[in-house]
Amino acid sequence: MKSKNIYILLAASLLVVTSGCKKFLEQPVLGQYQSDNFFTSDANAILAVNAAYSPLTFTDASSNAIWVLGDLASDDAVKGSSDGDQSDFLSIQNFNINPSNAAVEAVWKRYYDGIFKCNVVTDGLATAKAGVSEATRTSALGQAEFLRAYYYFNLTAAYGDIPLHLKVETPEELQSPALPQAQIYAQIEKDCQAAAAVLPTNWTNADAGRVTKGAALALLAKTYLFEKKWALAASTAAQVEALGVYSLLPVFSDNFRAASKNNAEAVFSILHTTGLSPFQGNTLNQWFAPRTLNGYGFYLPTQNLVNNFEKSTAGVDDPRLDYSVGRAGHPYYDSAFDPNWTSTGYVSKKHTQPLSEIPVSIKGDGNLNYQAIRFAEVLLTEAEALNESGNGAGALVPLNKIRKRARESYIYDATLSATTGGKVPDGLLPDITSTDQTTLRDAIRRERRSELALEFHRFFDIIRYGSAYATSALNYKPNFNFTANQFFPIPESERQTNLKLGK
C-alpha cells in the first residue's frame, strides 16, 4: 500500500470566542507529514480540525461565492456595479453559465478543499493514537464529520450529482465518477448522525464557536427536508428545539449586528473578527456595501423580494424589510440613503456594517459572522415538514413563533416602539390560522423567504420546490430552464483533472 502524505495548512485556523475578546489559534504552515507522524498529540489533532473550518469563511468573498449561486441566481438579488466588473457573476444571474464560470469554479474548489481537510482528520484519527486523548480524538472526529457534511450539503445542492471523497486519496483514487445525489445525502445523514452523537450541546471558554450537537441535528433536519423525508425532518428539528439552548432573539436584527452576533439564535455561525493578523475579517461588508460609501455594491436586493414582505392593514411594513434592506426614506445605518447607490432602489443590510464600526479605511475587514443556520430556520423546517406530513395544526405552532417575533420587534426595538407607543401595529403579521395544506404551504414558503432573505438560501429553495414553482419565480429570466439549470455545471477544471466525470 502506498503511504499517503498530507499537507495541513493552519495559517487560517478557526476563529474562536473567549471571554470578552476574540482570538485565533495561530500557527505557521506545517510541512509535509505522514498522518502517523502528525497525529501524536492533542495539540496537533486540534490544529488539524481547526484547519477544516477555514474554507467556511468569507475572508475572500470571491472565492467563497456561495452568495452568487444562492442569491444572484434567484429572484432575491442582482449584481450591481458595471456589467464588465465581475461579469461571471452576472452570467450566473442571467443563466449564461459555462463550466469555466469563476463562481462555479470557486465554490467547488473551496468546499472540496474543506472536505479534504476534514478527511485528513477522519483518516488520521480513525483509530486511537498514542499521545492523543480519547476525548480529543472523539471531539475532533465529530467536528470534522459535521464540517464534511456541511460542505457536501452545499455542493450537492449547487451541483447535484458529484464525486464522493471520504478519505485522503492517491491521485489514482481521486479519479472518481459523480454519484447520484441520493448517495451524497446518505453520507451527509451518516456524518450528521455521527457528529450529533459525540458533540457537546455547548462549548465554553476558548472553544466557544465550534460546532455543536444542535448544529449537527439542524443540518440533518435540513437534509431530510431537501430529501422530502418529512417525518424525519420534523422530528429532527424538534430535537434541536428540545435541547433547550436556542431561542429566537426578541429583535430580529440583532442576528446581524456585531455587538450581538454570538447569541442564542445562532445554531451554526461562521465567525469573523476585524483587526486581526492573519486577516480574519468578513469581506462581504466591502463587496455588498454601496460603491460610493465604502464598498463595491455587487449585491442589490430586488423589488420582487421587497414585495414579498407583508404589510399591516394600514400599510405598515414587516419590520424585517428595513432590517434586511436599505431603501429611500430610511437611513442606511448612520448614513443617509442615496438612491444613486443602486439600480434596483435597494441595498443589502444583513452583511454590512455602519461606518462607525467599519470605516472606509478598513472597509474590507468586517466584523460580522455569517449565520449559516439560525434557530428561525430550524422552526421553519419543522413547520414545512409538519405541513407536508399532513399535520397542518402542528405546523402552525413553529410558523407563528416566527411571525410573533417579527411583529414584536415593534415592542422590543426602542427605535420602533417609540413610533407606535410600544404596540404592534394593527393587522401586522397576524398568526396564520388556516390548516389547508396548499394555503399553508404558500404561507410557509413566503415566510421562509422573508425571514431568510439575503442569507444565500433562496435559489436552492426555489429549485427544491420543483419545476412549476421555479419556472414561475424565475419567469423573467429568459435563459432559465429548470431541467438545464436546476444545478450548476461541474467546473471545467475538475473535468480536465478527473477524467471519470466525462465531458
Side-chain angles (χ1 to χ4, degrees):
M1 176 182 294
K2 295 181 180 179
S3 64
K4 298 172 187 173
N5 296 325
I6 60 175
Y7 297 83
I8 305 176
L9 178 63
L10 297 165
S13 294
L14 169 67
L15 169 63
V16 294
V17 182
T18 61
S19 57
C21 65
K22 312 289 190 297
K23 71 174 185 179
F24 284 94
L25 302 177
E26 298 176 17
Q27 293 291 332
V29 176
L30 299 181
Q32 181 176 329
Y33 291 82
Q34 291 184 5
S35 60
D36 288 343
N37 295 334
F38 178 75
F39 289 98
T40 56
S41 67
D42 282 0
N44 279 8
I46 292 169
L47 289 174
V49 77
N50 287 349
Y53 283 84
S54 61
L56 297 170
T57 66
F58 291 91
T59 51
D60 180 353
S62 63
S63 66
N64 192 356
I66 194 67
W67 58 277
V68 178
L69 306 189
D71 275 352
L72 295 192
S74 81
D75 49 359
D76 274 6
V78 299
K79 191 191 84 67
S81 187
S82 64
D83 287 354
D85 195 351
Q86 299 294 337
S87 60
D88 273 5
F89 295 175
L90 182 64
S91 296
I92 295 289
Q93 174 185 308
N94 294 335
F95 289 95
N96 294 318
I97 307 169
N98 64 57
S100 297
N101 182 280
V104 168
E105 292 269 8
V107 172
W108 181 280
K109 289 178 179 177
R110 191 175 185 94
Y111 284 25
Y112 268 111
D113 176 57
I115 288 165
F116 167 77
K117 289 179 167 68
C118 293
N119 289 341
V120 168
V121 177
T122 57
D123 269 14
L125 296 177
T127 59
K129 291 288 187 291
V132 179
S133 68
E134 187 60 21
T136 296
R137 187 180 79 89
T138 301
S139 168
L141 282 172
Q143 292 173 71
E145 286 162 337
F146 169 86
L147 293 172
R148 184 168 65 187
Y150 180 79
Y151 290 128
Y152 269 124
F153 180 88
N154 282 283
L155 284 165
T156 197
Y159 302 97
D161 298 346
I162 55 175
L164 183 65
H165 303 293
L166 298 176
K167 62 179 182 176
V168 179
E169 296 173 323
T170 65
E172 293 81 8
E173 291 169 331
L174 287 169
Q175 299 288 312
S176 56
L179 298 181
Q181 189 179 56
Q183 289 183 240
I184 307 301
Y185 279 139
Q187 182 61 45
I188 294 168
E189 291 178 18
K190 182 178 180 181
D191 277 344
C192 285
Q193 290 162 351
V198 299
L199 289 174
T201 302
N202 284 301
W203 292 90
T204 58
N205 300 323
D207 286 317
R210 297 184 185 276
V211 295
T212 61
K213 180 184 186 73
L217 291 173
L219 181 57
L220 180 60
K222 187 172 183 177
T223 302
Y224 288 142
L225 188 77
F226 273 57
E227 295 181 277
K228 296 181 170 54
K229 295 180 178 179
W230 307 121
L232 285 170
S235 62
T236 308
Q239 288 181 54
V240 179
E241 188 171 10
L243 293 174
V245 297
Y246 304 111
S247 60
L248 298 175
L249 301 183
V251 179
F252 171 83
S253 61
D254 282 345
N255 285 291
F256 311 101
R257 291 175 174 157
S260 50
K261 63 184 183 180
N262 300 303
N263 57 61
E265 192 168 334
V267 178
F268 175 42
S269 295
I270 297 168
L271 278 62
H272 297 87
T273 297
T274 188
L276 292 178
S277 180
F279 179 83
Q280 288 297 320
N282 190 335
T283 59
L284 291 174
N285 184 72
Q286 183 171 15
W287 284 67
F288 293 1
R291 179 168 286 271
T292 58
L293 189 62
N294 70 334
Y296 300 150
F298 278 139
Y299 182 78
L300 304 176
T302 63
Q303 184 67 52
N304 189 293
L305 171 62
V306 170
N307 293 344
N308 190 75
F309 289 90
E310 297 175 46
K311 295 179 181 288
S312 73
T313 51
V316 178
D317 288 303
D318 178 340
R320 291 174 296 188
L321 171 59
D322 288 310
Y323 288 145
S324 304
V325 170
R327 57 178 175 151
H330 301 262
Y332 176 78
Y333 299 121
D334 47 11
S335 302
F337 184 87
D338 183 348
N340 293 318
W341 286 342
T342 170
S343 60
T344 67
Y346 308 101
V347 294
S348 175
K349 294 178 71 176
K350 274 191 174 176
H351 305 286
T352 60
Q353 294 177 256
L355 291 176
S356 59
E357 292 179 4
I358 305 295
V360 173
S361 59
I362 58 167
K363 59 186 177 182
D365 194 9
N367 204 33
L368 291 178
N369 294 346
Y370 170 62
Q371 305 294 4
I373 305 176
R374 292 193 286 118
F375 184 56
E377 184 181 5
V378 176
L379 292 176
L380 289 167
T381 293
E382 184 179 14
E384 181 178 343
L386 286 169
N387 183 56
E388 298 300 335
S389 298
N391 185 359
L396 292 177
V397 176
L399 174 63
N400 285 326
K401 288 179 180 178
I402 299 292
R403 295 175 67 81
K404 179 177 184 291
R405 187 273 292 277
R407 65 178 178 257
E408 287 186 351
S409 289
Y410 275 94
I411 297 174
Y412 296 108
D413 184 339
T415 62
L416 293 179
S417 62
T419 66
T420 62
K423 298 179 180 180
V424 174
D426 291 341
L428 180 64
L429 297 168
D431 280 357
I432 302 293
T433 58
S434 174
T435 56
D436 173 76
Q437 188 179 55
T438 300
T439 301
L440 191 49
R441 178 184 296 127
D442 291 342
I444 292 168
R445 288 177 177 179
R446 184 175 188 180
E447 195 69 33
R448 183 176 174 91
R449 188 180 183 192
S450 292
E451 177 70 24
L452 303 179
L454 308 176
E455 296 180 42
F456 318 154
H457 305 302
R458 175 62 178 166
F459 180 72
F460 307 120
D461 282 339
I462 287 174
I463 295 304
R464 73 181 178 85
Y465 293 154
S467 177
Y469 184 99
T471 301
S472 175
L474 303 178
N475 64 358
Y476 65 99
K477 298 189 178 194
N479 294 322
F480 176 76
N481 175 278
F482 182 80
T483 300
N485 300 126
Q486 61 180 307
F487 299 117
F488 298 99
I490 291 177
E492 181 61 27
S493 63
E494 183 66 17
R495 291 189 180 277
Q496 292 176 357
T497 302
N498 180 359
L499 300 181
K500 288 191 176 181
L501 289 173
K503 296 293 183 182

